[in-house]
Amino acid sequence: MTSSQAQLKRAMDRLLPGLYDYRLKDLIKAIRSCKTAADERAVIAKESAHLRTSFKEENVEIRHMNVAKLLYIHMLGYPAHFGQIECLKLVASPRFADKRLGYLGIMLLLDENQEILTLVTNSLKNDMNSPNMFIVGLALCTLGNISSSEMARDLSSEVERLLASSNTYIRKKAALCALRVVRKVPDLLENFTLRAKSLLNERNHGVLLTGITLLTEMCKMSNDVLVDLRTNAVAILVRHLKNLVTAGFSPEHDVSGITDPFVQVKVLRLMRILGKGDAEASEAMNDVLAQVATNTEASKNVGNAILYEAVLTIMDIESESSLRVLAINILGRFLSNRDNNIRYVALTTLTKTSQNTTIDSSALQRHRATILECLRDADISIRRRALDLSFFLINNQNIRILTRELLAFLEICEGDAKNSVATRICDFAGRCRPNKRWEVDTVCRVLRVAGSFVDQTVVNHFIKLVTTSPSDIQQYAVRKLYNTVKNEGEKALTQEGLVQVTVWCVGEFGDILVSGNSAALGGDEEEIAQTGDQTSQSHYQVAPSEQEVVDMLTAMLKGPYATELVKEYTMTTLVKLTSRFSQDSVISQIKALLIKYKVNVQLELQQRSVEFEQLLLLDRDARSALLERIPVLESAVKEEAKKGLGVPTTAEPASAVNQPKSTGGLGGDLLGLSGGSSNSAQGNDLYSLVFGATPGPSATPKSDNIMDLLGDMGMGAPAKLTVMPSQNNFSTASNQNDLLGDLFGGGPVSAPSSSGFQPDIKPFQTGKPSVDPLADLFGSGLGLGNAPSAIPSSPRSYPAYSKNNLQITLAAVRSGNSLTVTAEMRNSGMTGLNGVAVQVAVPRTLQITMHPQSSDFIAPGGTATQGMKIDNPTQVAVRLRLKIAYNIGGQQLVEDIVDFADFDPSLWT
């Protein structure tokens, strides 16, 4: 090739650099023509290989085009990191087009954590001193997007200098860049304070907008800046907002007939921060806020956005009551809007407002009909928000009307929401009830509608309600429940919660169920009010015979809808009825029915059958004393005193909600409602009645656990045989063993050995003393062979999380190389927490097994528990990482990750 030909080729390569390459639009066309993902990957791979080769050749003429194609490949999600250096080279170019593409590539391909970013610092500093304002703007924009803390410190002086530039474009960019700088390095905030405050006097709307944004962030970060602006900036902000509201048509700033809504929104947000908790600043804002609320056109979204911000500002500051009413009326108008987004915003804001204040309740009540209409909306998100707001509307005057609407909603709402809705209806029915009988009817209706969805919280609520009621209400409740199950048949039997409370009430109040006049108690007031027929409810108060009650329970046991838990409840109810009923034939039928379960495949039912058979061998007086009614819980009495006052009652701890067989509490109220300690004298009398003697000093009743009295008969944890040194003499221990043997028809369990040691039967306990459900069945406080010193103290609780009124504590008990950890989640706020979930991770040297959580909804004042077992074979320090997620009042989703390593070393050393 001659020299002239070589020169011609070089000239052609220089003049037509893209002749042998894809141009950007050619690459886009080739990718779009691909019919499969594999074809697209092949085109991208081929082009990426070509770009790598071109970058190595250092071809300056086509670098711009190559980087443009690389950025497009990056936008499609393919790797493009190999072009980072090429972007830095473009930034160093003197051409504006190259710098623009280079800085764009840096913002897309780099982030603040990459070391290569330090190479950009010098280019940024040089470009900030460029005479071309657009190049300065590029440098400020890049720094504001990807600045690390080191770059922010190095270039903060340049940004501060540019804030005072005479060019409005540069000042606007510098203000946004300063926002990034103060976020990355809060120590530099005071350097920008004076410059930022001077931006409030800008006439240019762009600079004013960025200046207010910068000051808003500063107020959140520094209390000193907040106090200073309250004194010196409120009047300026009020003037700006008034000018914007009253200004005429301005083509430069007009958006749908409203002058610069972006600046108006920013001013309102800054005013909200400055006026919160400050009466003087709020007073200065009242007039202009009223002007914004009344003069802003709400026919388009632009106006709605400003009105929404104005409402939030009015509600957050110390505004006048008339202004707050105006704000609620604005939200009321939003509820009538056809746009679901606007309605959703209104419902959410009203719920938040109702949650934080009660002084505007009368204004909110005026929109009750509109809110209740939203419960029937086709959009599920609208229904959920309207549901949350409906509960804030409830007071003593409208409880009947709103409960009727909420019960109607309960029938049609989704299955996953029924439990939460039912729990809240029962809670508010107790808070604002007009009378106790109305509350009984309301909870019964809840159980009839959603009994198969509710957890033990609702069952607990009803049982405590009935036990604290006078005898006429108890008779009314047990007859209503019995006849509901009898009359509605299969429909009622499928509602497990309804069946549970029915069986429990029949067992406790079986004597008053079958006695008295049938129609003397009337019927459901709400049902009578709706039908207008006084006799429509009379069939729910029919007094059955003893035989009819036993027949219904027998059918329930044999029916297809009886779960194992219902069968356990029913068997215990039957044994209770042997002391409530008087007909010998009925009692004999009950005995025969219970004995059949001695060979049942379910171990729990088999165990109960065997134990109840021994119990029925006692004479009637002894059996009646053991099966007497369960005493009222002290906590239930305290809750009862607060009902009807419109205030939250103390919620039952949710740790026992789904564990009716393991511990006491209302989760197993049929078996364990006594809870509190019984009088020791009564225990001694009962002991004498059954066994004809009083216990010796070593067997003084100190426990509510009937397991101590009946030994192996307990239905809770299995008994554990331990060897204890003898105390004083052997006579008392021998008598105890003889008593246990006599109770089961056998001889002594064991006799004292010659070595001076004797076996002592004690229940196995971990952490807290085991509460045998049979103890609460008998309602006694007897203990035998268990001195108080034998009960270990509760495990130490370690606080792990406290935020948004949710406190989580961890209690750990060691067993060999394993830890049993119980996480207790307590809601100390006034709003229920939904979707509560705790996930736990451990290092690889540990193994963790998570148990089911007791409940994912925590009522105000309530608790839930999460159990877990941690295997620690190498006995290393136990460290946990907790991921906590929950919804506050169904509105705000919170997700937090917490590291915990505060367990006592004795748990693994």
Side-chain angles (χ1 to χ4, degrees):
M1 182 183 293
T2 62
S3 59
S4 60
Q5 289 177 330
Q7 290 177 358
L8 179 61
K9 184 178 184 306
R10 285 195 297 270
M12 290 291 294
D13 289 341
R14 186 169 57 254
L15 294 174
L16 301 172
L19 187 60
Y20 308 107
D21 298 295
Y22 268 137
R23 292 176 298 172
L24 176 59
K25 64 180 181 180
D26 295 330
L27 175 63
I28 295 174
K29 185 177 180 180
I31 292 175
R32 287 182 176 178
S33 65
C34 294
K35 298 185 181 299
T36 64
D39 292 342
E40 179 181 302
R41 288 194 297 270
V43 172
I44 296 295
K46 182 178 179 180
E47 185 61 29
S48 296
H50 176 75
L51 289 176
R52 286 188 175 93
T53 303
S54 180
F55 289 157
K56 291 178 182 178
E57 294 175 355
E58 293 288 338
N59 194 331
V60 179
E61 285 77 11
I62 62 174
R63 179 179 290 155
H64 181 278
M65 183 178 64
N66 286 340
V67 171
K69 291 189 289 185
L70 184 71
L71 294 183
Y72 181 72
I73 291 174
H74 171 75
M75 290 170 59
L76 295 178
Y78 294 95
H81 56 279
F82 56 87
Q84 294 171 347
I85 296 297
E86 297 301 311
C87 294
L88 298 182
K89 293 177 180 178
L90 280 180
V91 166
S93 169
R95 297 173 54 208
F96 174 76
D98 289 347
K99 286 184 178 291
R100 182 174 59 183
L101 187 62
Y103 278 127
L104 176 61
I106 288 173
M107 287 186 280
L108 290 176
L109 303 181
L110 299 178
D111 59 56
E112 60 181 275
N113 299 317
Q114 296 186 8
E115 295 182 0
I116 195 174
L117 194 63
T118 57
L119 301 176
V120 187
T121 304
N122 191 53
S123 296
L124 288 174
K125 187 171 183 177
N126 292 335
D127 288 340
M128 286 183 185
N129 292 289
S130 171
N132 187 331
M133 68 175 183
F134 297 110
I135 293 178
V136 176
L138 287 175
L140 290 171
C141 187
T142 304
L143 182 64
N145 275 281
I146 62 170
S147 169
S148 63
S149 56
E150 292 78 10
M151 289 180 65
R153 289 184 186 277
D154 293 341
L155 299 175
S156 63
S157 58
E158 298 295 329
V159 177
E160 185 181 354
R161 175 180 61 81
L162 293 174
L163 269 176
S165 171
S166 59
N167 189 302
T168 56
Y169 175 82
I170 293 178
R171 289 203 303 275
K172 177 177 68 175
K173 295 287 187 181
L176 293 175
C177 185
L179 182 62
R180 171 83 177 197
V181 171
V182 297
R183 282 176 177 170
K184 302 304 295 183
V185 189
D187 296 342
L188 298 176
L189 184 143
E190 59 183 16
N191 296 346
F192 293 94
T193 304
L194 290 177
R195 301 282 191 189
K197 287 196 297 184
S198 66
L199 298 180
L200 284 178
N201 297 312
E202 285 284 345
R203 299 179 62 86
N204 182 278
H205 285 209
V207 180
L208 180 62
L209 179 69
T210 55
I212 294 175
T213 304
L214 176 60
L215 287 173
T216 302
E217 184 66 23
M218 287 181 168
C219 288
K220 294 178 182 178
M221 298 174 63
S222 171
N223 191 58
D224 293 338
V225 175
L226 177 62
V227 173
D228 184 23
L229 290 181
R230 278 175 176 167
T231 305
N232 302 314
V234 171
I236 300 175
L237 293 173
V238 169
R239 186 182 72 245
H240 279 306
L241 188 57
K242 185 176 293 187
N243 291 338
L244 291 170
V245 173
T246 59
F249 177 72
S250 174
E252 184 181 358
H253 306 113
D254 183 80
V255 179
S256 298
I258 294 178
T259 305
D260 208 334
F262 304 103
V263 174
Q264 290 192 47
V265 166
K266 288 293 184 180
V267 170
L268 287 167
R269 289 179 180 175
L270 182 54
M271 290 172 67
R272 188 186 317 160
I273 296 174
L274 299 180
K276 188 172 184 178
D278 189 284
E280 185 177 353
S282 300
E283 177 65 27
M285 302 174 188
N286 281 334
D287 291 341
V288 71
L289 288 174
Q291 213 168 0
V292 172
T294 54
N295 293 345
T296 303
E297 178 61 42
S299 60
K300 296 184 180 179
N301 269 349
V302 177
N304 289 329
I306 295 175
L307 288 174
Y308 172 67
E309 292 294 338
V311 167
L312 293 182
T313 303
I314 291 170
M315 290 303 180
D316 274 7
I317 69 174
E318 307 297 319
S319 56
E320 298 174 348
S321 58
S322 58
L323 199 57
R324 302 176 78 85
V325 171
L326 176 61
I328 291 178
N329 290 338
I330 291 172
L331 294 176
R333 292 204 306 271
F334 282 3
L335 289 177
S336 303
N337 199 297
R338 294 182 179 181
D339 189 342
N340 276 359
N341 294 319
I342 295 176
R343 297 166 69 198
Y344 182 89
V345 166
L347 289 168
T348 305
T349 308
L350 285 171
T351 304
K352 180 181 177 182
T353 301
S354 303
Q355 199 170 352
N356 297 333
T357 180
T358 58
I359 62 173
D360 307 306
S361 58
S362 59
L364 185 60
Q365 292 291 341
R366 288 200 288 269
H367 305 285
R368 186 175 68 197
T370 308
I371 295 169
L372 294 177
E373 185 66 28
C374 292
L375 287 174
R376 294 180 285 274
D377 194 87
D379 191 326
I380 185 175
S381 59
I382 297 293
R383 295 199 302 270
R384 292 289 177 89
R385 296 288 76 77
L387 175 66
D388 293 333
L389 182 56
S390 297
F391 283 103
F392 287 106
L393 294 172
I394 296 178
N395 56 36
N396 294 66
Q397 288 72 42
N398 60 22
I399 179 66
R400 292 177 183 268
I401 299 172
L402 284 176
T403 302
R404 195 179 303 127
E405 294 286 344
L406 291 170
L407 284 170
F409 175 77
L410 181 61
E411 294 185 18
I412 63 172
C413 72
E414 299 74 21
D416 60 341
K418 283 185 183 289
N419 177 40
S420 173
V421 176
T423 303
R424 287 192 280 177
I425 289 176
C426 294
D427 179 30
F428 279 89
R431 292 190 197 184
C432 306
R433 69 183 186 195
N435 54 68
K436 179 168 282 193
R437 181 165 152 178
W438 178 88
E439 185 183 359
V440 170
D441 289 333
T442 299
V443 181
C444 283
R445 289 199 296 273
V446 169
L447 292 171
R448 287 169 62 187
V449 172
S452 59
F453 297 93
V454 300
D455 58 20
Q456 286 298 135
T457 305
V458 177
V459 177
N460 299 351
H461 176 94
F462 187 81
I463 290 176
K464 288 190 288 185
L465 172 64
V466 175
T467 55
T468 56
S469 301
S471 59
D472 59 329
I473 298 295
Q474 291 174 346
Q475 185 181 34
Y476 173 80
V478 68
R479 284 190 183 175
K480 183 179 180 67
L481 290 169
Y482 172 84
N483 287 290
T484 297
V485 174
K486 180 181 177 181
N487 296 335
E488 297 184 3
E490 183 177 327
K491 178 182 176 183
L493 291 174
T494 57
Q495 308 292 346
E496 185 176 353
L498 176 64
V499 175
Q500 287 182 25
V501 297
T502 300
V503 172
W504 189 92
C505 288
V506 169
E508 280 298 293
F509 310 112
D511 50 347
I512 62 176
L513 169 64
V514 298
S515 63
N517 189 1
S518 295
L521 299 175
D524 189 327
E525 298 176 1
E526 290 294 324
E527 297 286 349
I528 293 174
Q530 291 180 18
T531 61
D533 185 1
Q534 292 287 344
T535 62
S536 62
Q537 295 291 301
S538 59
H539 59 284
Y540 284 103
Q541 288 302 317
V542 175
S545 66
E546 294 180 1
Q547 185 63 50
E548 289 175 337
V549 174
V550 175
D551 288 344
M552 190 193 79
L553 294 175
T554 303
M556 192 179 295
L557 278 173
K558 296 179 180 179
Y561 303 107
T563 62
E564 183 180 353
L565 180 61
V566 170
K567 290 180 179 179
E568 294 167 9
Y569 273 45
T570 306
M571 290 182 67
T572 310
T573 291
L574 287 169
V575 79
K576 285 183 179 183
L577 291 180
T578 60
S579 66
R580 309 286 195 270
F581 289 171
S582 57
Q583 295 180 11
D584 293 336
S585 60
V586 173
I587 295 176
S588 299
Q589 182 181 350
I590 292 175
K591 292 180 180 179
L593 181 60
L594 291 175
I595 290 174
K596 290 181 180 179
Y597 285 87
K598 289 173 65 176
V599 292
N600 193 279
V601 294
Q602 297 292 341
L603 182 61
E604 178 68 24
L605 300 180
Q606 185 184 127
Q607 181 179 347
R608 289 182 185 232
S609 178
V610 173
E611 293 167 349
F612 290 159
E613 181 186 20
Q614 298 298 323
L615 184 63
L616 293 173
L617 295 177
L618 299 174
D619 61 80
R620 185 175 180 85
D621 291 337
R623 194 167 66 245
S624 298
L626 287 172
L627 298 174
E628 64 183 3
R629 286 186 187 172
I630 293 173
V632 180
L633 283 171
E634 292 183 8
S635 61
V637 175
K638 293 178 181 178
E639 290 180 24
E640 186 65 25
K642 297 180 180 179
K643 287 188 175 181
L645 303 178
V647 297
T649 57
T650 303
E652 184 72 18
S655 58
V657 163
N658 289 328
Q659 305 170 20
K661 296 184 290 184
S662 60
T663 62
L666 288 175
D669 274 331
L670 176 60
L671 307 172
L673 190 59
S674 62
S677 60
S678 301
N679 186 284
S680 61
Q682 295 175 351
N684 288 337
D685 292 341
L686 182 58
Y687 188 98
S688 304
L689 176 64
V690 178
F691 298 109
T694 56
S698 64
T700 302
K702 295 291 184 181
S703 171
D704 288 339
N705 197 347
I706 199 69
M707 189 195 296
D708 299 340
L709 175 62
L710 301 181
D712 259 346
M713 186 175 175
M715 291 182 294
K720 181 181 178 183
L721 191 66
T722 58
V723 178
M724 300 291 292
S726 61
Q727 299 292 334
N728 299 331
N729 53 59
F730 299 109
S731 59
T732 304
S734 298
N735 290 338
Q736 294 170 14
N737 292 330
D738 289 341
L739 290 171
L740 289 169
D742 292 341
L743 178 61
F744 290 98
V749 176
S750 63
S753 63
S754 58
S755 61
F757 288 85
Q758 64 178 18
D760 180 25
I761 296 178
K762 298 191 299 181
F764 175 75
Q765 298 173 341
T766 57
K768 295 183 179 179
S770 176
V771 179
D772 187 359
L774 197 55
D776 292 331
L777 166 66
F778 299 134
S780 64
L782 297 179
L784 185 62
N786 255 6
S789 60
I791 301 176
S793 59
S794 300
R796 175 183 171 189
S797 294
Y798 303 86
Y801 179 82
S802 181
K803 189 175 180 182
N804 298 322
N805 297 319
L806 175 64
Q807 288 84 37
I808 299 179
T809 58
L810 303 178
V813 177
R814 181 178 178 180
S815 177
N817 289 334
S818 299
L819 283 184
T820 300
V821 180
T822 302
E824 181 182 68
M825 298 159 276
R826 180 174 297 277
N827 179 8
S828 61
M830 301 294 290
T831 304
L833 302 178
N834 300 305
V836 181
V838 176
Q839 299 177 359
V840 183
V842 296
R844 293 184 178 180
T845 53
L846 306 175
Q847 292 183 345
I848 186 169
T849 303
M850 301 290 290
H851 302 305
Q853 189 171 304
S854 63
S855 176
D856 63 352
F857 172 74
I858 308 180
T863 61
T865 57
Q866 170 75 68
M868 64 198 82
K869 180 181 178 183
I870 301 175
D871 293 324
N872 187 8
T874 57
Q875 297 186 352
V876 298
V878 177
R879 295 182 293 109
L880 309 178
R881 172 164 290 180
L882 287 76
K883 182 178 180 181
I884 305 156
Y886 52 94
N887 281 287
I888 303 176
Q891 306 170 38
Q892 178 185 356
L893 176 63
V894 179
E895 291 186 352
D896 285 325
I897 295 179
V898 178
D899 291 323
F900 179 83
D902 294 337
F903 283 131
D904 191 280
S906 63
L907 294 173
W908 59 79
T909 55

